[in-house]
Amino acid sequence: MKRFLYPFFAGLLLLTFQATLLASLPVNRIRPDVVLILILFLGFSYPTVLGGLIAFSLGFLLDLFSGNAFGLYTFTRPLIFFVAQLFRSHFYWKGFSFQFLFVFIFALLEGGLILLLVSGLNPSPFRNLYSSVIIDLLPQSIVTGLITPILFPLFEKGSLFLVTKLRVAIKRQG
Amino acid sequence: MSIRALSFFRRYHIPTFIIALLLFGLVLMSLRVKQRPGVAFFDALFMELTSPVQKAATFVIKTIHGVFQHYVFLVHLEKENGLLKRRMAELQEENHQMKERVMANDRLLKLLQFREKMPASMIAAQVIGQDPTSWFKSVTINKGEGDGVQKGMAVISPEGVVGQIFKTSPHYATVLLMTDYNSAIDAIVQRTRAKAIVEGKEENRCQLKYLLRTEEVVVGDVVITSGLGGVFPKGLMVGEIRSVDKKGHGVFQYADLVPGVDLTKLEEVLILSASPPPPPQPEEKEKKAKKTSAGSPKKK
């Protein structure tokens, strides 16, 4: 249970951080998606079922506080997590360039998927939304990619702390 | 058969879980599109549970910001003080003129019986969080169903239109800002009375659509609500035209609009708790007139 709750609360805090402090940045479009970074980190370090559930719950929360009526992130976030898991055994994910590129590409992919879903679910197409790919999505994905090398080690430390705590608890129980 | 099914599930339990979770996400999306009440209940429940975290975070950020503003920036206070005194004198003069205009405006409003179109009451709310995604434009406020807030209510600020209530929970609500792609407001250009629809475009930008090409609109023209949508009362400031696009063919021209309210720095909002009455039909007007003429002698 703790293995679910700790990352979930970390995600909730990051979501709050994203919706409050990061939203007060002078340029809103460079606000990084810190929750996406956490989900991609979980894709590398967490088991499928547990990580999938966390990604699903965080996607649900993201939908709750955003102005989208369809619940797009409840679908895209677990999908992103599962796709990220496919790469876990094929790449060395601790290098700066890989972390940046990996998150940058995934942020762009998710943006594309959301655009596709919004266009598909709405009867009238939003032409204004397409301009957002260059105006909003690209800078945001770059910034998200750039802060990944700072956040990934932090998440790793947190994850190690959690594992050692669980091991100690298991040893005590015998 | 059941043992075989069990062994199949054991063998493929992870792919089954992945497919089930993604399908659940799609089903949830479909339920939301159909606006099923059960989903709204769960949304409200989770919003109620998680919003206090946002509220607390906003409080901490505002406190820290306040400390910085009050103590750290004291260095520039003297210079700023002199500047402010001069500005205050200018503003006082401006204020006197404005008061005169407001009083005249009030009298005219009473004469034209516009007051009956104004909603009965307003609910003041504080913004506790912005939209965490970059695709959608919304804010979370600290008032909900318990305070009388309902889905679809108009949200304004003293500077003009903000948006509409989009989701509610007992103590919190989400406001869809007018800059969101899903937002559409019936409006008129104040100077020419040309009708148009204001749609969200991007961060702090809207687009004026379905504006007839024959209408003469220029940069700087003020756009106000028409009152026809049944959500916003007539005459609220929507924004100012920044560019007009008459290129291309067709019946309509397009214009870019900057909202009257800076939606990126929104802190407090007002919710119109009673929607404005629909514009009276000519028949209704006649009936009303008959009723009043028939009712007045009785009172006497």
Side-chain angles (χ1 to χ4, degrees):
Chain A
M1 193 65 181
K2 274 181 187 171
R3 288 201 78 191
F4 173 83
L5 285 178
Y6 280 116
F8 174 74
F9 281 117
L12 180 62
L13 281 177
L14 287 176
L15 178 72
T16 309
F17 183 62
Q18 201 168 305
T20 52
L21 193 66
L22 288 178
S24 60
L25 285 174
V27 187
N28 208 25
R29 61 186 56 139
I30 60 154
R31 181 173 46 151
D33 193 341
V34 282
V35 183
L36 179 74
I37 301 172
L38 176 72
I39 286 167
L40 289 173
F41 172 80
L42 294 177
F44 279 112
S45 59
Y46 248 62
T48 312
V49 176
L50 209 57
L53 285 173
I54 295 166
F56 181 85
S57 317
L58 290 176
F60 182 81
L61 285 183
L62 209 61
D63 279 329
L64 217 59
F65 292 106
S66 85
N68 98 69
F70 307 124
L72 306 172
Y73 288 97
T74 316
F75 174 69
T76 60
R77 286 289 146 112
L79 186 68
I80 287 270
F81 170 82
F82 293 133
V83 176
Q85 281 222 316
L86 299 175
F87 294 88
R88 70 194 288 180
S89 52
H90 300 290
F91 291 97
Y92 175 71
W93 58 278
K94 292 189 178 177
F96 170 86
S97 44
F98 175 76
Q99 286 175 0
F100 167 74
L101 270 175
F102 185 74
V103 174
F104 171 68
I105 290 166
F106 267 79
L108 280 180
L109 282 176
E110 194 195 34
L113 186 63
I114 288 203
L115 195 67
L116 210 74
L117 287 168
V118 169
S119 310
L121 289 166
N122 278 293
S124 55
F126 294 122
R127 270 186 297 166
N128 295 338
L129 209 59
Y130 300 118
S131 62
S132 265
V133 174
I134 295 165
I135 298 167
D136 293 320
L137 183 66
L138 203 63
Q140 198 199 25
S141 304
I142 293 170
V143 176
T144 308
L146 282 174
I147 68 153
T148 307
I150 303 164
L151 288 182
F152 260 34
L154 282 176
F155 294 151
E156 208 181 342
K157 274 184 185 168
S159 162
L160 278 173
F161 172 74
L162 185 64
V163 170
T164 26
K165 219 177 162 187
L166 283 169
R167 273 184 192 159
V168 170
I170 291 165
K171 271 185 186 176
R172 270 184 196 165
Q173 282 173 352
Chain B
M1 187 68 185
S2 62
I3 293 168
R4 190 180 276 183
L6 201 72
S7 68
F8 178 83
F9 180 74
R10 269 193 184 171
R11 200 171 166 191
Y12 297 107
H13 74 281
I14 287 184
T16 315
F17 170 78
I18 293 171
I19 292 165
L21 198 71
L22 292 176
L23 270 177
F24 188 54
L26 282 173
V27 169
L28 215 63
M29 205 188 287
S30 150
L31 290 174
R32 279 206 168 108
V33 171
K34 287 174 184 170
Q35 296 187 332
R36 293 286 164 95
V39 184
F41 169 76
F42 277 105
D43 280 358
L45 181 76
F46 283 102
M47 203 171 173
E48 201 60 23
L49 289 172
T50 48
S51 288
V53 184
Q54 269 197 0
K55 201 177 171 182
T58 308
F59 175 75
V60 171
I61 290 161
K62 273 189 179 173
T63 312
I64 294 167
H65 191 247
V67 167
F68 266 89
Q69 275 201 328
H70 284 106
Y71 300 103
V72 181
F73 301 127
L74 269 175
V75 190
H76 304 289
L77 208 67
E78 205 181 309
K79 211 189 240 178
E80 206 178 303
N81 201 22
L83 214 104
L84 282 172
K85 273 181 182 170
R86 251 181 290 154
R87 183 87 185 109
M88 205 172 84
E90 285 170 23
L91 284 172
Q92 266 175 344
E93 179 57 33
E94 211 173 282
N95 198 22
H96 285 305
Q97 286 178 1
M98 290 295 278
K99 270 181 185 169
E100 279 297 306
R101 280 184 197 171
V102 168
M103 279 162 78
N105 198 26
D106 273 354
R107 284 197 303 273
L108 283 168
L109 274 175
K110 273 176 194 168
L111 276 172
L112 292 166
Q113 294 179 329
F114 262 122
R115 281 199 73 83
E116 66 179 23
K117 285 183 184 176
M118 286 307 288
S121 60
M122 288 181 185
I123 304 161
Q126 210 176 8
V127 174
I128 59 161
Q130 303 266 344
D131 198 305
T133 70
S134 59
W135 290 102
F136 307 97
K137 311 281 180 279
S138 69
V139 290
T140 311
I141 54 168
N142 67 343
K143 292 283 161 73
E145 283 163 4
D147 308 284
V149 177
Q150 281 168 21
K151 198 179 167 184
M153 278 181 172
V155 182
I156 60 166
S157 87
E159 290 83 30
V161 174
V162 171
Q164 258 179 285
I165 298 290
F166 178 61
K167 287 178 206 165
T168 52
S169 79
H171 298 102
Y172 302 94
T174 308
V175 180
L176 187 76
L177 299 179
M178 61 182 282
T179 45
D180 191 275
Y181 310 102
N182 288 305
S183 167
I185 299 166
D186 207 293
I188 46 172
V189 180
Q190 199 175 37
R191 187 177 57 84
T192 62
R193 316 311 283 178
K195 281 183 185 177
I197 299 286
V198 176
E199 279 187 8
K201 192 177 180 186
E202 56 192 66
E203 193 188 335
N204 238 19
R205 243 337 126 89
C206 292
Q207 195 174 36
L208 214 57
K209 278 186 169 178
Y210 309 111
L211 182 68
L212 284 174
R213 192 176 277 269
T214 48
E215 298 287 354
E216 276 303 319
V217 287
V218 290
V219 174
D221 267 349
V222 169
V223 176
I224 56 167
T225 51
S226 69
L228 288 175
V231 178
F232 295 97
K234 191 175 179 175
L236 287 174
M237 167 80 165
V238 177
E240 206 180 283
I241 292 176
R242 275 296 154 92
S243 65
V244 183
D245 179 17
K246 276 196 175 185
K247 286 173 199 164
H249 304 285
V251 191
F252 303 113
Q253 59 181 319
Y254 295 91
D256 266 7
L257 191 88
V258 174
V261 186
D262 188 352
L263 299 168
T264 55
K265 289 170 186 162
L266 209 58
E267 284 183 56
E268 282 94 21
V269 291
L270 295 166
I271 303 146
L272 302 184
S273 61
S275 55
Q281 300 293 315
E283 287 174 15
E284 281 180 16
K285 272 184 181 176
E286 279 173 22
K287 278 180 189 175
K288 267 188 182 178
K290 277 178 188 175
K291 271 186 184 177
T292 46
S293 60
S296 51
K298 276 181 187 175
K299 278 178 188 173
K300 281 176 185 175

